[in-house]
Amino acid sequence: MKPSGMALALYNNFLGQAPNWYKLSIIAFLFINPILFLQNPYIAGWALVVEFIFTLAMALKCYPLQPGGLLVLQAIVMGMTSTTKVMHEIEVNIEVILLLVFMVAGIHFVKDLLLFVFTKLLIRVRSKTNLSLAFVCMAAFLSAFLDALTVVAVIIAVGIGFYAIYHKISSGKKFPDPHNHNEDTDVAELSRADLDAFRGFLRNLLMHAGVGTALGGVSTMVGEPQNLIIAEAVGWGFGEFALRMAAISVPVLIAGLLTTIVLEKFRLFDFGVRLPVAVQDVLIAYDNYQTERMTASDISKLWVQSIIAILLIICLSLHLASVGLIGLMVIILATTFCGVTDEHAIGKAFQEALPFTSLLVVFFAVVAVIIDQHLFKPVIDFVLTFDGQEQMAVLFLANGLLSMVSDNVFVGTVYINEVKAAWQAGTISREQFEMLAIAINAGTNLPSVATPNGQAAFLFLLTSALAPLIRLSYMKMVWMAVPYTIVLAIVGLLCTTFLLPEVTHWMYAAGWIHHYDAAAAAAAAATGH
């Protein structure tokens, strides 16, 4: 073969079916980055962050693992970070990785129960507004005690189930027939409009549920990983953390629910898509079909999965073990008592989670670059120049903006450590330290809904198997999140700056919370309690 032919074949194989402009963009990034790094490592670091966000934004053109992985490999070779630092980030976030590997696979084995319950919900709740509120409230409640990724995994499983049911019928097949719901070639022409509307309907519910995870995640110390880190730094338990956050979390929840109602009533920002009558008829028919043909074996599986679901909630809410290990327990129990013993059948459960797990490790490498190149240091130094309520407001905004482009767990960890160091050095008072801790928690949880990379749950949704089916792209998520971002950011900022100090003083006076006792804290540290 001629050299030119070999070069052309190599180029065609590079990133497969991705558009030529996309391939050329990645090649340009790989060419420019070394030049930037030699001139100014700080600018090169920010360029890498922007480029990685670009790969996320183009997730429907090419899965971000490959182009993002190439950029990260180049960064490590150039010395922007090291494999040791990447391994450190992986070790710190090992629970998140185990969560993705085992919990998401575990949800796969209780999908029959999920589809059964949510089909009943979809059929009986005819009002789209009420259904949207139900999804937001459910996601918020579960995320306050469980993990947002687990909640999103449940919603994704339900969404794929609904989509596959209607897609099969619109392709002229029967419920028992085998079918590939990834291809639209067999979809009847008359059904395409309903299918597109159904996609919009599912996008609405998924985005409402995603925002719900943020509304619930901000309220408790177990809602998000950075919440736990912040609570440990300040020395708060579950009850005190929830009380101190209530001045922000409660108004924000109310504002979020009102936003849901407005978006659905006035059909703004691509919300308000109604469930087509044809789709509803199919779901009703499917429910009747399942009910009529349900055997004793099927009923026993639903009962087993119900018990496992209850056990899952109890274990997660009481934090009896790592989330990933609890997910492994779900896999063992569900497969054992539902008769799944074939290795290949079990292996299918891991197909959804492992690509995203790999992408998350690449993301941790980007975080390692941010740390080693001190990309956030100027922002941190700027924030600490303010005092009092101004400092709280600026800290909230800084955390929100940085969380939009980076990992909110990393941002929260960096800021709480810096603020704690300032308190220990005597630069700020204990009361101000506590107020700033709340501002950091609110800042990393609320404005970060603006972009999929702001929260792991949103990123998981973007890169899931469901996203391309319902045409949920990066920019579509950003657009649909705009009203929530504006409302949550404004309400969160106002509550942090003005309401939080007043409510906190009232709680002190009522005896609900108590001022920090240095002697008691020292004694507890000495005894290990």
Side-chain angles (χ1 to χ4, degrees), residues 70-121:
L70 284 176
L71 295 170
V72 164
L73 287 173
Q74 183 188 55
I76 294 173
V77 171
M78 290 191 303
M80 297 178 74
T81 188
S82 65
T83 54
T84 303
K85 179 67 75 174
V86 175
M87 276 304 301
H88 173 72
E89 290 302 312
I90 293 172
E91 290 166 1
V92 169
N93 293 279
I94 188 64
E95 288 203 15
V96 178
I97 293 174
L98 290 177
L99 159 69
L100 286 168
V101 173
F102 294 126
M103 183 60 77
V104 175
I107 296 301
H108 174 84
F109 293 108
V110 294
K111 65 180 182 181
D112 292 338
L113 172 67
L114 296 174
L115 199 56
F116 177 81
V117 172
F118 278 89
T119 300
K120 300 290 186 185
L121 178 66

Side-chain angles (χ1 to χ4, degrees), residues 355-428:
F356 181 72
T357 306
S358 303
L359 176 62
L360 199 63
V361 172
V362 172
F363 184 71
F364 292 152
V366 175
V367 172
V369 171
I370 292 173
I371 295 171
D372 284 349
Q373 300 303 318
H374 308 289
L375 300 188
F376 290 172
K377 190 176 187 304
V379 183
I380 295 170
D381 293 341
F382 172 73
V383 169
L384 294 178
T385 60
F386 291 86
D387 296 309
Q389 288 181 302
E390 284 187 350
Q391 191 177 48
M392 292 166 57
V394 173
L395 194 59
F396 176 91
L397 293 172
N399 275 267
L401 290 172
L402 293 177
S403 293
M404 292 178 191
V405 299
S406 179
D407 175 27
N408 55 0
V409 178
F410 164 69
V411 173
T413 303
V414 168
Y415 269 103
I416 194 62
N417 289 335
E418 291 290 335
V419 171
K420 185 174 183 178
W423 165 61
Q424 292 173 336
T427 306
I428 59 176

